Amino acid sequence: MKIGKWTLDTEHKVYMMGILNVTPDSFSDGGRHDRIDQALYHAEALLQDGADILDIGGESTRPDHVKISCMEEIQRVCPVIEAVKARMDVPVSLDTYKSRVAQAGIQAGADMINDIWGLKWDGAMAGVIAESKVSACLMHNRKEAVYTDFLADVSRDLKESLALAEQAGVDRDRICIDPGIGFAKTLEQNLFLMRHLEDLQELGYPVLLGTSRKSMIGLTLDLPVDQREEGTIATTVLGIMKGCSILRVHDVKGNLRAARMTLAMLQAE
């Protein structure tokens, strides 16, 4: 998969996407990195811990989050993207589902758009991505957790997103997919989807897994947000065993160590 000037070997390697929220209300680290100097400090720490990609987000996507205007989101993310790109040689992903924000973020230097609605929220998003020749992560999501055949429906929804990308002309080698753990799914559905992640390999695209500190872990282990690192690492290991190649995490160091150990065992001759 290509992101900016970088080519990821998603068939043989695993990559860490470090989360950099520049929001005051994210469920896990809201308010900690919403100033440029704080954001840069955290970005450097993520890279030192081994992050391969930085994912910058300006609007929280936690349950019951407060929606903000495109202009406010642009004012949050673009200065941080510009500052990161000016100082660090790293692929930058922008976590947004709004085409205006995506366009501004791309102009600021973003190499990938991470769309939690898989191009379905904003009809102009696919065109912006295609025209700009940036990469895209298409996540599974829907407005209600109502399914006829859960796994088949998830696959069908992702195929719809992939069709939108193809119709717009997004380069196939610049697309990855995300099962959308924690979005429009019950706890049981999230756990079941984790168990069957290998099914997504049939779609033929690299799979990005984002489970870090999510409620699936908190509900299963009965733990608050700041005590979910071990649970996250468990999902990382299972995800790699089932073919995921990009892991979106808050705690890069521990997840990277677990990923390396998992790959060493899986690839042992």
Side-chain angles (χ1 to χ4, degrees):
M1 179 185 178
K2 294 179 180 177
I3 303 179
K5 65 179 183 180
W6 294 268
T7 300
L8 309 187
D9 180 6
T10 53
E11 289 188 19
H12 304 99
K13 296 181 180 179
V14 171
Y15 297 87
M16 289 290 144
M17 174 184 275
I19 299 171
L20 180 56
N21 287 320
V22 288
T23 59
D25 60 341
S26 285
F27 81 97
S28 177
D29 54 1
R32 293 189 189 174
H33 316 302
D34 57 343
R35 285 175 44 194
I36 290 181
D37 54 346
Q38 294 172 325
L40 284 173
Y41 179 82
H42 189 58
E44 289 173 354
L46 289 169
L47 293 182
Q48 288 174 2
D49 285 345
D52 303 289
I53 307 163
L54 295 179
D55 189 47
I56 297 173
E59 179 181 279
S60 173
T61 54
R62 65 178 172 80
D64 303 317
H65 71 279
V66 177
K67 283 186 166 57
I68 61 174
S69 68
C70 289
M71 186 53 63
E72 185 175 356
E73 192 173 347
I74 288 168
Q75 289 171 347
R76 287 181 184 180
V77 299
C78 285
V80 175
I81 294 172
E82 290 173 353
V84 167
K85 296 299 286 188
R87 294 165 176 81
M88 305 170 200
D89 190 30
V90 62
V92 168
S93 165
L94 172 57
D95 184 354
T96 187
Y97 54 90
K98 304 168 187 171
S99 62
R100 281 183 60 197
V101 178
Q103 200 158 29
I106 292 165
Q107 290 173 352
D111 304 291
M112 180 163 85
I113 300 301
N114 183 9
D115 186 347
I116 65 165
W117 284 99
L119 308 179
K120 295 179 183 180
W121 183 274
D122 185 332
M125 180 66 94
V128 167
I129 293 171
E131 185 177 345
S132 304
K133 298 295 181 184
V134 295
S135 302
C137 179
L138 311 180
M139 197 191 82
H140 176 266
N141 204 350
R142 52 167 60 187
K143 292 183 178 177
E144 292 183 295
V146 179
Y147 301 89
T148 303
D149 182 338
F150 178 63
L151 290 177
D153 288 352
V154 169
S155 178
R156 189 178 304 111
D157 290 348
L158 283 168
K159 286 177 181 176
E160 290 173 358
S161 292
L162 290 166
L164 291 172
E166 181 182 354
Q167 290 161 11
V170 180
D171 292 341
R172 183 183 175 89
D173 63 356
R174 291 188 179 275
I175 296 173
C176 63
I177 56 175
D178 179 342
I181 298 296
F183 289 81
K185 299 169 187 70
T186 64
L187 170 60
E188 292 75 18
Q189 288 167 341
N190 283 315
L191 292 169
F192 190 71
L193 184 53
M194 286 295 302
R195 181 182 168 189
H196 293 279
L197 283 173
E198 69 274 13
D199 290 5
L200 297 181
Q201 300 299 318
E202 298 173 0
L203 298 178
Y205 291 84
V207 178
L208 181 152
L209 182 64
T211 56
S212 189
R213 303 181 185 173
K214 285 189 174 176
S215 62
M216 175 184 72
I217 298 164
L219 292 170
T220 301
L221 301 179
D222 191 23
L223 289 174
V225 168
D226 61 354
Q227 295 181 37
R228 297 177 187 173
E229 184 175 357
E230 298 92 343
T232 299
I233 288 172
T235 64
T236 288
V237 171
L238 183 63
I240 293 169
M241 292 176 69
K242 291 182 173 291
C244 299
S245 51
I246 305 173
L247 289 305
R248 182 181 181 273
V249 297
H250 296 88
D251 308 291
V252 172
K253 186 182 291 184
N255 281 278
L256 178 57
R257 288 174 177 172
R260 286 175 173 167
M261 191 67 216
T262 304
L263 279 180
M265 293 183 289
L266 292 176
Q267 297 174 353
E269 295 293 339

